[in-house]
Amino acid sequence: MKTILVTGATAGFGAAFARRFVADGHRVIATGRRVERLAALAGELGERLLPVALDVTDKAAVAGFVDSLPEGWRRIDVLVNNAGLALGLSPAWEADLSDWDTMIATNITGLIHVTRAILPGMVARNDGIILNLGSVAGVYPYPGGHVYGGSKAFVQQFSLNLRADLVGRNIRVTDIEPGMVQGSEFSKVRFGGDDNKAAAVYAGTNAMVPEDIAETAAWLISLPPHVNINRIEMMPTCQANGPFAVKRE
């Protein structure tokens, strides 16, 4: 049984991770900002889930997070850096700077601060797993993806560089890079709560669902301790990387 910290566990991938890990016999520390959703998840999953309010952009809260946990929950075997978001699809010259700042604060700064808070304990025990949620957007650019794609490219390179620091230690790091996934709040958040725009993204597709990503995470933490998967890129069969964009007169 592992103790697993999942950030952004109030919906989508995070809630799917929590459900899958508990079903597999692990304990989950589920964090997020919407405490009522965490409470509902705890009511559903029982004593194997510890709900803890945490905003990953609150640097002081993140720094003191481990010490704030009940004593029996402070050894974190697996960190799932799931908290993140995309905001807007406007071209760069029209994008809202506050959206850019929010994506950087959550997808980059929040992720590295949570990692820095948890990693020393793993190093001291010479044991641990870090799963970072990247995206195919960090590899394949698309119009309007500017800062979101840039933030996920950072997650990929940060993950690889963590492995460079940790070589020879029993601490594994994987960047999980999903493509199109429906059934989460991702597109709804991106479009400011517009359900019609969010639904249009997946119209006529057979996209992946959060449970597919949770299945992958469950496989990753079940691997022998000497096996590290550096990156895992995932797309539904209805999606592929596209041809070069060419503007013709």
Side-chain angles (χ1 to χ4, degrees), residues 22-143:
V22 168
D24 286 348
H26 303 298
R27 301 193 308 171
V28 173
I29 303 166
T31 73
R33 294 177 300 172
R34 292 174 289 188
V35 292
E36 72 285 352
R37 293 198 178 193
L38 295 176
L41 197 59
E44 173 189 341
L45 298 178
E47 62 183 14
R48 286 185 177 272
L49 185 132
L50 177 68
V52 181
L54 179 68
D55 180 349
V56 299
T57 67
D58 184 336
K59 296 176 183 179
V62 170
F65 178 74
V66 174
D67 289 341
S68 74
L69 294 171
E71 189 169 342
W73 290 81
R74 292 177 186 171
R75 172 181 170 136
I76 295 170
D77 302 302
V78 181
L79 166 61
V80 182
N81 275 316
N82 170 69
L85 76 169
L87 295 171
L89 266 179
S90 300
W93 62 91
E94 295 177 357
D96 188 329
L97 272 175
S98 66
D99 286 348
W100 284 10
D101 289 340
T102 299
M103 285 186 280
I104 291 168
T106 308
N107 300 356
I108 297 179
T109 307
L111 182 145
I112 64 175
H113 278 256
V114 173
T115 301
R116 184 59 179 82
I118 305 304
L119 188 56
M122 292 182 173
V123 171
R125 297 188 300 271
N126 193 30
D127 183 64
I129 301 171
I130 298 173
L131 304 182
N132 292 326
L133 266 294
S135 170
V136 296
V139 179
Y140 308 108
Y142 58 84

Side-chain angles (χ1 to χ4, degrees), residues 86 88-89 142-143 148 179-192 194-208 236 238-239:
L89 266 179
Y142 58 84
Y148 176 71
M180 183 177 285
V181 182
Q182 64 183 128
S184 74
E185 294 182 338
F186 178 83
S187 289
K188 185 174 180 178
V189 170
R190 164 165 264 175
F191 293 116
D194 189 319
D195 289 320
N196 292 329
K197 284 186 178 180
V201 173
Y202 308 104
T205 72
N206 184 19
M208 296 184 293
C238 65
Q239 183 182 27

